[in-house]
Amino acid sequence: MNKEDFFIKQISNSKYNGDDGAFIDGYVYSMDAFFENVHFKKDWMSLKQIAYKSMLVNISDAIAMNAKPKYALISVAIPNSYNENDLKALSSGFKKAAKEFDFEIVGGDTIENNKLDISITIISKTKEPKFRNSAKINDFICYTGKLGSCKKDLETLLNGKKIKKSSKFMTPVLKADFFYEAAKYVNASMDISDGLFLDLEKLSKASNIGFEFIKDIKEEVGISGEEYEILFSCSAKNLKKIEDIAKKHKVKINIFAKAIKGSYKSSFENHHFKN
Ligand SMILES: Nc1ncnc2c1ncn2[C@@H]1O[C@H](COP(=O)(O)OP(=O)(O)OP(=O)(O)O)[C@@H](O)[C@H]1O
Ligand SMILES: Cc1ncc(C[n+]2csc(CCOP(=O)(O)O)c2C)c(N)n1
Ligand SMILES: [Mg+2]
């Protein structure tokens, strides 16, 4: 077992743990960290972009569970060198996301540190939560959008070069409207944060299924992280309905595998606690 899974198992064996968020009594509780030098370098993005992306990566988990964000708690470690304009820029990114997705920032914590580190908790509401453990044998396995560009853009940045302002690495494009409408036809879902192959492994474990690939997934597509697309499964019967909803919202759907008996293991390493 890897260090991350070992640790999570030590802390919590709650039945609510293990999905994009914990669904309890109509609400989904989820949190994600967005830390300097782990998730971004400060010369890559403006403070507003950093704050905005830190919110989007969190909202992504709520959407993947078919939950609508209602409240957020934001914990921020801020370098002492930041002036008032910096603080305004940072808060404008948080507020932009709250306005766009119509939720309230109800609390958090602020400390001083030598790096900018952001942790956000989102509390979201749903009448019909979607989990990772509900994919059924013979389901089609699909993902939204295009995968691959985030890894390419990350590499460009790590090589000291610039990427386009419109890059999905800078600003993930969440498929909220599509998914809130399509969710009733979906069996299982999660967001793609670690990369399709690793996230498929999580889906496989949670739903106790394997995959038969219909389409060949190239390595640069399968190992691209931070895409924040939605990975989902649905029955053959519901596929057409989902495709129609996707068309209406101008969202691309890739149908690339079928769920079969068995299990799936990615041959690629998790980026956390690499040797
Ligand atoms: N420190 C922790 N304490 C308790 N539970 C944790 C901790 N870290 C992770 N978990 C739980 O383990 C599960 C997997 O966490 P992880 O952060 O990998 O979520 P993910 O949705 O798969 O990935 P991402 O955060 O990149 O979207 C989640 O249910 C999460 O709540
Ligand atoms: C400086 C820097 N180095 C590496 C990366 C790549 N990276 C960080 S987190 C992550 C996947 C999901 O994250 P998490 O599991 O933390 O939600 C990836 C691919 C980056 N963005 N910035
Ligand atoms: Mg997730």
Side-chain angles (χ1 to χ4, degrees):
M1 186 187 295
N2 69 43
K3 222 177 263 183
E4 183 179 1
D5 290 344
F6 175 81
F7 179 65
I8 295 170
K9 234 177 106 183
Q10 300 297 308
I11 312 191
S12 167
N13 58 10
S14 163
K15 67 175 179 187
Y16 300 117
N17 199 302
D19 220 298
D20 292 274
F23 173 73
I24 305 164
D25 290 343
Y27 287 88
V28 169
Y29 301 80
S30 59
M31 105 174 286
D32 256 316
F34 199 67
F35 278 29
E36 184 170 338
N37 298 339
V38 177
H39 298 93
F40 65 92
K41 293 197 193 263
K42 64 171 177 294
D43 50 346
W44 288 355
M45 300 154 87
S46 70
L47 289 172
K48 184 174 180 180
Q49 280 174 323
I50 290 167
Y52 186 56
K53 184 173 173 183
S54 74
M55 278 288 208
L56 293 181
V57 306
N58 272 279
I59 296 166
S60 172
D61 281 321
I63 294 171
M65 292 194 73
N66 190 33
K68 295 208 165 133
K70 289 284 168 201
Y71 307 105
L73 296 157
I74 308 176
S75 166
V76 196
I78 301 173
N80 196 19
S81 59
Y82 283 28
N83 61 29
E84 271 192 18
N85 278 339
D86 295 332
L87 302 180
K88 274 190 191 159
L90 203 55
S91 48
S92 71
F94 293 132
K95 287 194 292 191
K96 180 175 152 75
K99 192 168 175 206
E100 197 176 316
F101 289 87
D102 193 26
F103 61 88
E104 208 175 330
I105 298 165
V106 293
D109 194 20
T110 306
I111 60 164
E112 186 200 322
N113 193 19
N114 52 354
K115 296 185 293 99
L116 175 63
D117 290 338
I118 303 167
S119 295
I120 298 177
T121 298
I122 302 273
I123 298 151
S124 43
K125 203 173 181 177
T126 178
K127 291 203 170 75
E128 199 185 350
K130 293 289 154 179
F131 300 101
R132 297 175 180 183
N133 67 6
S134 316
K136 305 275 175 290
I137 303 284
N138 288 327
D139 269 7
F140 282 106
I141 311 294
C142 319
Y143 67 81
T144 60
K146 277 190 190 158
L147 299 176
S149 70
C150 291
K151 183 167 195 291
K152 244 188 241 158
D153 287 351
L154 170 66
E155 277 162 5
T156 305
L157 289 168
L158 287 169
N159 286 327
K161 293 188 211 127
K162 294 230 176 309
I163 59 172
K164 282 196 201 134
K165 216 183 150 214
S166 62
S167 165
K168 225 170 58 162
F169 181 86
M170 291 281 202
T171 315
V173 182
L174 304 181
K175 309 298 187 300
D177 292 340
F178 155 71
F179 199 65
Y180 290 142
E181 196 175 333
K184 58 175 166 297
Y185 303 113
V186 161
N187 282 342
S189 59
M190 61 186 291
D191 71 348
I192 303 178
S193 53
D194 291 331
L196 180 64
F197 292 153
L198 284 168
D199 288 321
L200 275 173
E201 192 176 309
K202 292 182 182 181
L203 183 66
S204 154
K205 272 193 197 135
S207 285
N208 196 19
I209 48 162
F211 305 113
E212 179 183 282
F213 286 83
I214 306 167
K215 283 187 192 150
D216 180 44
I217 306 282
K218 293 205 174 74
E219 179 173 326
E220 67 258 34
V221 166
I223 65 169
S224 182
E226 297 172 283
E227 294 277 353
Y228 302 103
E229 296 294 346
I230 303 172
L231 172 64
F232 64 90
S233 90
C234 66
S235 67
K237 181 171 118 319
N238 285 337
L239 186 59
K240 176 79 173 66
K241 291 193 185 92
I242 292 174
E243 284 183 303
D244 288 346
I245 296 166
K247 214 174 260 166
K248 177 176 143 191
H249 291 279
K250 299 191 172 61
V251 167
K252 184 175 154 67
I253 297 287
N254 304 275
I255 307 151
F256 67 95
K258 275 196 98 165
I260 55 170
K261 263 194 195 159
S263 66
Y264 169 83
K265 181 111 187 59
S266 161
S267 51
F268 296 93
E269 244 190 303
N270 194 318
H271 67 283
H272 297 145
F273 305 105
K274 264 196 281 199
N275 290 320

